[in-house]
């Protein structure tokens, strides 16, 4: 017996214990490394999802303003003599145009107005309790404000003030730029809300300016959207202007403050949140943000790794906002780290139990971690992994359930339960990648657009509209086959991949089947709502070899079908 060991038991046990501990520690290290890769993948998916949602919300929030100005000031058509036929000559006729324009905002709550080169002004403000008409004549600075409920209606004179539209920043900015122009974000004096103005100058055929149409958009809803964002335990998202002034933030903090009796905007660099300040500083040090999605990293003051992305949102009217999302890496590593530590402890404890138990435990942990890695890889490719560790109440069981819940929110539309657009595109690409000359892929794409859905929202409210969408999605899903795909494309539109449709006749049968499912009235909260849908189909690869081409073809046929429906 060696002098190094006092007993044979210690001579046999200690080297073995060392080996088992080393194996257990190796498993823990492998678990941690695999978890890091999984967490990095999930973080990238999260940042992409938040970025897409913010971009979509911002675009939708500002879209009504552009539609309103296009209604108020359509593209010019000139008569002989240079007269702008699309701009009425009298304030009364412009007033009618402004009433129609304000009706395009959600809930018909908008403020659209016009100022002329002669100083005339007319505006319809439907943001308050009662609609308000503001009007001033040419060559006069007196402006009258009336309660008004329809074009030409003057219910009651509310007040008079002195107002020259030509001296206002919105008029001067649009006049200087000569085209559609966004103002910088400002604090509205009446509502005390962050607001932005979109202004559009109009000209006669000689290029002489007739005046400027404009509309104010309160950013209250955009700010509320940011505050509802669930990013991670400590993640943040915020929107800024080029000078760093905050437009919206996921953190509950004021976006402006009073300094010497004046409203002063809050900048990201002055935020009460340390992570917002750090992310803004990191963005300032790096190259200018772009519209491309690119995950970057920096170290926080305490050495913690932060994953972040900055994307600009711009348009032809000069919009130049930057969206920043920052997520501490530890937000997705806590469970992974805990699991690795417990795996090491189990490995050490297994030495006391038996070699067989230790070997079995290490093999099981390694297999479970491999399953977890494969599941996250599937999730990253847009496929839903099968439930992991069902019935288990240990750490891996909790991770499996958390991953399943996360995949549901990441891959599907939360309202309808259908696939979201990004997931549909990934699965489409996977299917198309299997296409070859020897094994051609055949399938059809159907574009579904709900009829009269906007009227449902306008008449019954968005809650009823949401319920109609959810019921419609379930009806569509009920007639699909195992390998078919259903996705919510946006708003009241759905996209369906029919794996068994290969011919026009099969497509026609499938579309009739889908429309028949949507034909019965939807019964909601005592209401009977008839909505139906218009559908258009396209065949791969006859009508296109890419999703974009197929959607375009299907959308054109859907539009033709809707046109027929509208004329009936």
């Amino acid at each position: 017996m060696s002098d190094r060991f006092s007993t044979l038991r210690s001579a046999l046990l200690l080297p073995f214990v060392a080996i088992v501990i080393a194996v257990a520690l190796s498993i823990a290290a492998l678990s941690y490394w695999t978890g890091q890769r999984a967490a990095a993948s999930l973080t990238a998916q999260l940042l992409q999802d938040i970025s897409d949602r913010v971009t979509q919300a911002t675009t939708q929030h500002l879209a009504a303003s552009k539609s309103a100005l296009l209604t108020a000031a359509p593209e010019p058509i000139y008569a002989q003599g240079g007269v702008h036929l699309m701009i009425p000559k009298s304030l009364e006729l412009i007033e009618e145009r402004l009433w129609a324009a304000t009706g395009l905002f959600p809930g018909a709550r908008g403020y659209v107005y016009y100022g002329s080169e002669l100083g005339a002004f007319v505006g319809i403000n439907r943001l308050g309790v009662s609609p308000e008409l503001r009007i001033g004549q040419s060559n006069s600075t007196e402006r009258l404000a009336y309660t008004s409920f329809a074009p030409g209606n003057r219910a009651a004179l509310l007040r008079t003030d002195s107002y020259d539209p030509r001296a206002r920043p919105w008029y001067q900015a649009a006049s200087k730029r000569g085209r559609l122009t966004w103002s910088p974000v400002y604090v509205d004096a009446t509502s005390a809300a962050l607001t932005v103005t979109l202004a559009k100058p109009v000209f006669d055929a000689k290029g002489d300016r007739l005046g400027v149409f404009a509309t104010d958009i309160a950013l209250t809803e955009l700010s509320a959207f940011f505050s509802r964002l669930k990013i991670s335990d400590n993640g943040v998202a915020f929107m800024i202007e080029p000078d760093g002034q905050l437009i919206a933030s996921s953190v509950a903090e004021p976006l402006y403050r009073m300094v010497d009796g004046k409203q002063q905007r809050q900048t990201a660099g002055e935020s009460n949140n340390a992570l917002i300040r750090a992310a803004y500083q990191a963005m300032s040090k790096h190259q200018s943000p772009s519209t491309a999605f690119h995950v970057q990293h920096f170290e926080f003051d305490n050495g913690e790794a932060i994953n972040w992305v900055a994307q600009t949102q711009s348009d032809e009217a000069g919009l130049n906002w930057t969206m920043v999302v920052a997520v501490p890496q530890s937000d997705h590593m806590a469970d992974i780290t805990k699991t690795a530590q417990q795996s090491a402890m189990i490995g050490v404890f297994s030495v006391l139990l038996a070699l067989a138990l230790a070997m079995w435990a290490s093999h099981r942990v390694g297999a479970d971690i491999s399953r977890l890695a494969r599941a996250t890889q599937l999730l990253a490719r847009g496929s839903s992994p099968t439930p992991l560790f069902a019935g288990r109440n240990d750490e891996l069981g909790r991770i499996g359930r958390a991953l399943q819940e996360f995949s549901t929110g990441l891959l599907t539309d939360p309202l309808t339960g259908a696939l979201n657009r990004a997931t549909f595109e990934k699965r489409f690409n996977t299917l198309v990648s299997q296409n070859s000359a020897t094994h051609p892929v055949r399938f059809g794409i159907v574009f579904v657009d709900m009829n009269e859905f906007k009227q449902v929202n306008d008449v019954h409210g968005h809650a009823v509209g949401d319920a109609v969408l959810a019921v419609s999605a379930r009806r569509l899903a009920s007639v699909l086959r195992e390998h078919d795909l259903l996705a919510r494309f946006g708003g009241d539109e759905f996209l369906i991949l029919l794996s068994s449709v290969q011919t026009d006749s099969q497509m026609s049968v499938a579309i009739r089947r889908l429309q028949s499912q949507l034909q019965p009235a939807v019964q909601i909260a005592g209401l009977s709502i008839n909505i139906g849908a218009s559908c258009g189909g396209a065949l791969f690869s006859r009508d296109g070899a890419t999703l974009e081409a197929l959607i375009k073809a299907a959308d054109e046929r859907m539009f033709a079908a809707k046109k027929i429906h509208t004329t009936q």
Side-chain angles (χ1 to χ4, degrees):
M1 184 182 300
S2 172
D3 293 338
R4 189 172 299 176
F5 301 103
S6 59
T7 64
L8 179 60
R9 178 178 298 177
S10 62
L12 295 175
L13 180 61
L14 293 180
F16 178 74
V17 168
I19 293 174
V20 174
I21 291 176
V23 170
L25 291 176
S26 297
I27 292 175
L30 177 62
S31 171
Y32 187 79
W33 177 75
T34 306
Q36 277 189 316
R37 296 185 62 186
S41 176
L42 291 175
T43 299
Q45 288 286 338
L46 173 66
L47 291 174
Q48 178 74 73
D49 179 59
I50 295 296
S51 174
D52 291 345
R53 289 169 59 193
V54 169
T55 299
Q56 183 181 27
T58 305
T59 301
Q60 290 178 347
H61 189 69
L62 300 179
S65 58
K66 295 182 180 180
S67 299
L69 285 193
L70 185 60
T71 299
E75 294 305 313
I77 298 177
Y78 300 108
Q80 187 173 4
V83 177
H84 195 314
L85 296 180
M86 302 306 292
I87 304 300
K89 295 181 179 180
S90 69
L91 293 183
E92 288 74 14
L93 293 176
I94 293 178
E95 176 188 345
E96 294 182 7
R97 187 77 62 78
L98 298 184
W99 272 99
T102 56
L104 297 177
F105 288 90
R109 294 178 58 81
Y111 180 29
V112 186
Y113 45 95
Y114 169 75
S116 77
E117 277 292 289
L118 298 178
F121 179 86
V122 59
I124 300 297
N125 186 347
R126 300 170 74 176
L127 297 174
V129 177
S130 299
E132 185 175 307
L133 165 69
R134 300 171 183 176
I135 190 167
Q137 301 300 324
S138 301
N139 302 315
S140 172
T141 59
E142 183 182 38
R143 186 176 66 167
L144 307 177
Y146 296 91
T147 300
S148 179
F149 297 96
N153 176 256
R154 310 288 190 271
L157 179 63
L158 300 175
R159 62 186 178 278
T160 62
D161 59 13
S162 179
Y163 189 87
D164 186 346
R166 298 166 295 185
R168 308 305 296 176
W170 56 269
Y171 194 100
Q172 295 174 352
S175 299
K176 181 179 179 180
R177 196 163 186 259
R179 52 197 174 103
L180 198 65
T181 302
W182 286 107
S183 73
V185 177
Y186 59 92
V187 181
D188 183 72
T190 302
S191 65
L194 291 188
T195 305
V196 65
T197 297
L198 182 62
K200 179 181 181 179
V202 291
F203 304 87
D204 62 17
K206 298 178 181 179
D208 295 329
R209 188 170 52 254
L210 300 174
V212 176
F213 284 85
T215 181
D216 294 346
I217 305 94
L219 301 179
T220 309
E221 287 299 321
L222 183 62
S223 182
F225 171 81
F226 269 80
S227 66
R228 293 192 300 267
L229 279 176
K230 180 58 178 174
I231 304 167
S232 66
D233 290 342
N234 300 291
V236 296
F238 57 95
M239 184 84 76
I240 56 174
E241 293 187 278
D243 59 2
Q245 293 189 104
L246 284 168
I247 299 171
S249 169
S250 62
V251 176
E253 63 175 329
L255 300 178
Y256 66 89
R257 60 182 183 273
M258 301 302 294
V259 178
D260 297 330
K262 296 182 179 179
Q263 297 161 330
Q264 181 172 316
R265 296 274 305 284
Q266 179 90 318
T267 67
E270 300 169 334
S271 172
N272 298 330
N273 184 274
L275 184 53
I276 289 182
R277 295 196 303 270
Y280 177 68
Q281 291 171 2
M283 186 196 75
S284 301
K285 293 177 182 178
H286 289 70
Q287 60 184 9
S288 301
S290 67
T291 55
F293 178 83
H294 177 60
V295 178
Q296 302 184 69
H297 315 276
F298 71 88
E299 282 195 4
F300 206 18
D301 295 339
N302 58 3
E304 184 176 14
I306 305 296
N307 299 316
W308 68 286
V309 63
Q311 285 185 280
T312 58
Q313 191 155 359
S314 58
D315 65 9
E316 74 284 357
L319 187 74
N320 187 19
W321 294 352
T322 300
M323 177 275 303
V324 181
V325 183
V327 177
Q329 188 170 316
S330 61
D331 280 5
H332 294 126
M333 283 300 299
D335 286 343
I336 301 296
T337 301
K338 183 179 179 181
T339 300
Q341 292 172 345
Q342 292 180 344
S343 297
M345 293 177 61
I346 290 172
V348 173
F349 182 70
S350 67
V351 175
L352 304 176
L353 296 178
L355 171 62
L357 181 60
M359 296 293 289
W360 174 79
S362 62
H363 175 74
R364 179 179 178 182
V365 171
D368 288 343
I369 294 301
S370 297
R371 290 176 61 196
L372 179 61
R374 288 194 296 271
T376 55
Q377 289 170 354
L378 283 173
L379 185 59
R381 293 196 295 266
S383 296
S384 180
T386 57
L388 296 177
F389 318 122
R392 289 177 57 170
N393 295 318
D394 60 0
E395 294 73 24
L396 289 175
R398 291 197 294 272
I399 291 176
R401 289 189 290 273
L403 182 64
Q404 192 66 28
E405 293 174 0
F406 186 82
S407 66
T408 300
L410 186 65
L411 302 178
T412 61
D413 173 57
L415 174 63
T416 62
L419 297 179
N420 59 37
R421 184 172 180 175
T423 302
F424 186 90
E425 290 177 354
K426 290 179 181 179
R427 296 194 183 179
F428 173 88
N429 292 333
T430 299
L431 179 60
V432 170
S433 67
Q434 301 169 4
N435 186 45
S436 66
T438 56
H439 296 88
V441 173
R442 299 278 188 265
F443 59 87
I445 291 290
V446 178
F447 196 95
V448 181
D449 184 84
M450 311 305 293
N451 295 329
E452 312 299 334
F453 183 74
K454 182 179 183 301
Q455 184 176 353
V456 174
N457 276 338
D458 291 343
V459 175
H460 303 293
H462 288 279
V464 172
D466 288 348
V468 169
L469 280 180
V471 171
S472 299
R474 289 197 296 270
R475 289 182 177 181
L476 291 172
S478 68
V479 296
L480 298 185
R481 301 184 179 182
E482 180 181 359
H483 298 294
D484 296 342
L485 300 178
L486 170 65
R488 185 181 179 191
F489 189 72
D492 60 343
E493 299 168 339
F494 293 93
L495 201 59
I496 299 174
L497 186 150
L498 299 174
S499 58
S500 60
V501 170
Q502 302 182 13
T503 65
D504 287 332
S505 60
Q506 291 175 341
M507 177 64 75
S508 298
V509 171
I511 288 178
R512 287 195 297 270
R513 185 169 67 248
L514 293 170
Q515 289 178 320
S516 67
Q517 283 296 108
L518 298 175
Q519 194 63 37
V522 177
Q523 308 297 326
I524 297 174
L527 301 173
S528 181
I529 299 175
N530 291 291
I531 185 166
S534 296
C535 302
L539 297 176
F540 178 90
S541 58
R542 187 198 67 185
D543 296 322
T546 66
L547 181 58
E548 181 180 1
L550 291 172
I551 290 177
K552 181 179 179 182
D555 182 56
E556 290 173 352
R557 290 164 186 162
M558 178 280 295
F559 184 80
K562 182 177 283 290
K563 196 171 184 180
I564 295 173
H565 169 78
T566 303
T567 57
Q568 290 178 346

